[in-house]
Amino acid sequence: MAELVYRPVIGAALTMFKALDLKIDTQGSHHIPREGGAVIVSNHISYLDFIFTGLAALPQKRLVRFMAKDSVFRHKVSGPLMRAMKHIPVDRAQGEHAYEHALRSLRAGEIVGVFPEATISQSFTLKSFKSGAARLAQEAGVPLIPMALWGTQRVWTKGRPRNFKRSHIPITIRVGEPMEAPADQFAGAITRRLRGRVQELLEAAQRAYPVRPKDAGDTWWVPAHLGGTAPTPEEVKAAEK
């Protein structure tokens, strides 16, 4: 049932991206294993990141089961789709259930997608990583696959109107080499290395991005440290208080 639903959803997403004329540049998909479990770990800057992360696995003929907040599963439209595609609901008050669900999926040879920042980064920089992805990989005995996305924030992100016009927006995706998660190492140390790898991939994606802001009014999607007007991490934290 999962594949009967999942593949048409992928087809619909690809059709939408073609209609929007998104220029998707993906490198490193070969690092995703063709069989067996793995945890894909990506930065999070857009509501659509799970779709683009999933697209990166298609060349390897893999479908990704994402961990997502349980409110998405309660929605009358998205809920049945998410359940049919075997995604994993996360109730932050009872996170152990989602962890066990993800662990079973990994041991069954599935690929699980995780955004370890937990929420969208409004500064478009990496937030701190939670250690769940590393602990899952350790316990299941599977590799971690680091990934970075750039440009997705220009389509639909937190605090900005979505742009579903034919805007020719480039999307850059970089997938890194698998990282082992040895059971005899601290999950915190593995998480720090993992975050460093994602940071390297993010910087590579930013360097490869083919366009720059058109004018001073188009700098909102560029992080402050790169000369843009996106809020700094400190400003985001202050606004959340």
Side-chain angles (χ1 to χ4, degrees):
M1 176 61 73
E3 279 59 49
L4 289 176
V5 174
Y6 208 140
R7 295 193 187 282
V9 170
I10 291 171
L14 291 172
T15 299
M16 181 182 74
F17 294 159
K18 186 175 182 179
L20 297 176
D21 194 32
L22 300 185
K23 309 296 185 183
I24 303 175
D25 168 26
T26 304
Q27 292 185 16
S29 288
H30 62 280
H31 292 308
I32 298 171
R34 281 192 172 270
E35 57 184 25
V39 181
I40 289 182
V41 177
S42 175
N43 65 318
H44 197 12
I45 52 176
S46 165
Y47 289 115
L48 301 179
D49 286 342
F50 69 98
I51 299 178
F52 292 105
T53 301
L55 290 181
L58 288 184
Q60 297 295 86
K61 304 186 186 307
R62 300 304 302 271
L63 300 177
V64 183
R65 316 301 177 182
F66 287 96
M67 301 183 75
K69 58 185 180 180
D70 62 342
S71 60
V72 179
F73 291 78
R74 293 196 300 268
H75 190 275
K76 63 181 180 180
V77 176
S78 63
L81 290 174
M82 294 292 283
R83 287 189 292 272
M85 290 186 284
K86 292 171 60 177
H87 295 311
I88 302 167
V90 179
D91 180 348
R92 290 178 182 171
Q94 296 180 310
E96 67 277 5
H97 296 308
Y99 184 91
E100 291 299 326
H101 188 164
L103 191 57
R104 288 195 301 271
S105 296
L106 290 168
R107 287 172 170 166
E110 299 274 15
I111 290 184
V112 171
V114 177
F115 298 106
E117 296 167 281
T119 59
I120 290 174
S121 170
Q122 292 179 269
S123 67
F124 310 131
T125 61
L126 281 190
K127 300 168 67 174
S128 60
F129 276 23
K130 297 185 181 301
S131 64
R135 291 187 289 110
L136 280 170
Q138 283 182 300
E139 196 165 347
V142 301
L144 293 156
I145 312 294
M147 181 183 298
L149 306 167
W150 191 245
T152 62
Q153 75 273 32
R154 299 180 65 198
V155 182
W156 191 13
T157 193
K158 190 173 183 178
R160 299 286 304 188
R162 58 192 176 193
N163 182 1
F164 286 173
K165 300 176 182 177
R166 191 174 174 83
S167 303
H168 321 291
I169 293 174
I171 304 294
T172 303
I173 305 172
R174 294 293 181 265
V175 185
E177 295 180 359
M179 259 186 67
E180 296 303 318
D184 61 350
Q185 294 185 11
F186 289 114
I190 296 171
T191 300
R192 286 191 291 274
R193 292 200 302 274
L194 176 63
R195 186 181 183 279
R197 294 282 291 277
V198 174
Q199 179 66 41
E200 291 171 0
L201 291 167
L202 177 58
E203 291 173 2
Q206 291 167 337
R207 288 193 299 271
Y209 201 66
V211 301
R212 296 294 179 265
K214 298 188 295 291
D215 51 43
D218 187 42
T219 59
W220 65 268
W221 54 272
V222 179
H225 75 279
L226 294 180
T229 54
T232 64
E234 293 75 22
E235 288 170 339
V236 173
K237 286 182 181 179
E240 291 174 345
K241 290 181 179 179

